Amino acid sequence: SGTQYNMVVIAKVMLNEDVITNGVLGAFDKQGNCRSVGKLEDGFWYLTIVGNTENEEISFELYDEVTGKIYNSNETVIFIDNTTIGTPDNPMSITMTGGVNSNLPTAYKLEQNYPNPFNPCTTVSFDLPHNATVNLTVYNIKGQEVMSVEKDITAGYKKTINLDMSKCASGIYFYRLSAKDYTDTKKMILMK
């Protein structure tokens, strides 16, 4: 276990032409795995980036602990073992953009209901990036609507709607979540 390779990045981080000397700076691969957390020392960020595969593209994210926002870098580096990018005299410049609120999802996401199969109750979870009126509609295998729930829900991760299908027969059902311009459908199984 552990990592086979490492490289060092010495950088100054900029946001709106200001040098950033607070927050948490991380280096991430394309799959979103954190490869390093930066250490701020003498006005520069030092990152020892680790990994098991060379030639991966690495990007940077800055978490502002005061505002709760996450900023993304315009720059990337290619992960190469035993390499140092930047020096205190000539640091790499990383420019941050964005400012996404970190405690809210950036996209809608409908999860598989749980439990599934179920008898007779199940929970449908979803991520909601904006406050919205959410409609959850359940259809039988023939496409007939058997139940509909509409709720005003605030934005956030893992929002839930509980379904009680005790009045329905065993079988395959489909549930469709609609909110603003988003719609997604998944299958579930009621077993009595």
Side-chain angles (χ1 to χ4, degrees):
S1 71
T3 54
Q4 185 174 355
Y5 304 120
N6 66 66
M7 72 181 284
V8 174
V9 173
I10 302 170
K12 69 176 179 177
V13 178
M14 306 291 290
L15 176 64
N16 299 327
E17 300 181 15
D18 295 324
V19 176
I20 301 299
T21 57
N22 59 2
V24 179
L25 180 67
F28 295 86
D29 63 21
K30 285 292 186 188
Q31 292 74 40
N33 299 310
C34 184
R35 297 301 193 82
S36 179
V37 175
K39 178 182 178 187
L40 183 64
E41 193 173 293
D42 298 326
F44 299 102
W45 291 92
Y46 292 82
L47 297 107
T48 300
I49 302 171
V50 296
N52 291 317
T53 306
E54 289 192 278
N55 299 317
E56 288 186 291
E57 188 174 20
I58 303 293
S59 61
F60 303 93
E61 291 183 5
L62 177 75
Y63 172 67
D64 185 328
E65 298 160 306
V66 176
T67 65
K69 292 186 177 184
I70 295 177
Y71 298 90
N72 297 307
S73 64
N74 292 330
E75 297 77 20
T76 60
V77 295
I78 300 300
F79 182 78
I80 300 173
D81 183 34
N82 202 24
T83 300
T84 299
I85 298 176
T87 65
D89 293 330
N90 187 21
M92 175 184 179
S93 182
I94 300 174
T95 304
M96 295 296 178
T97 59
V100 176
N101 195 333
S102 64
N103 59 1
L104 294 178
T106 58
Y108 293 96
K109 181 179 180 186
L110 177 61
E111 301 286 345
Q112 185 64 51
N113 65 301
Y114 183 83
N116 189 39
F118 64 96
N119 177 24
C121 298
T122 189
T123 300
V124 174
S125 298
F126 50 93
D127 294 345
L128 195 62
H130 312 284
N131 296 346
T133 299
V134 173
N135 188 300
L136 182 67
T137 308
V138 178
Y139 300 92
N140 63 20
I141 195 74
K142 296 178 183 177
Q144 299 164 322
E145 183 178 317
V146 296
M147 171 186 302
S148 184
V149 178
E150 187 172 283
K151 288 186 170 184
D152 290 330
I153 299 181
T154 58
Y157 290 99
K158 301 294 180 205
K159 297 297 181 167
T160 60
I161 295 177
N162 297 316
L163 296 176
D164 181 351
M165 295 184 59
S166 55
K167 295 180 182 176
C168 298
S170 293
I172 296 173
Y173 291 85
F174 297 91
Y175 59 98
R176 182 180 69 202
L177 182 79
S178 301
K180 295 197 176 191
D181 59 349
Y182 173 82
T183 300
D184 195 6
T185 303
K186 293 198 181 285
K187 179 173 73 171
M188 62 184 175
I189 301 172
L190 172 59
M191 293 179 65
K192 290 187 173 182

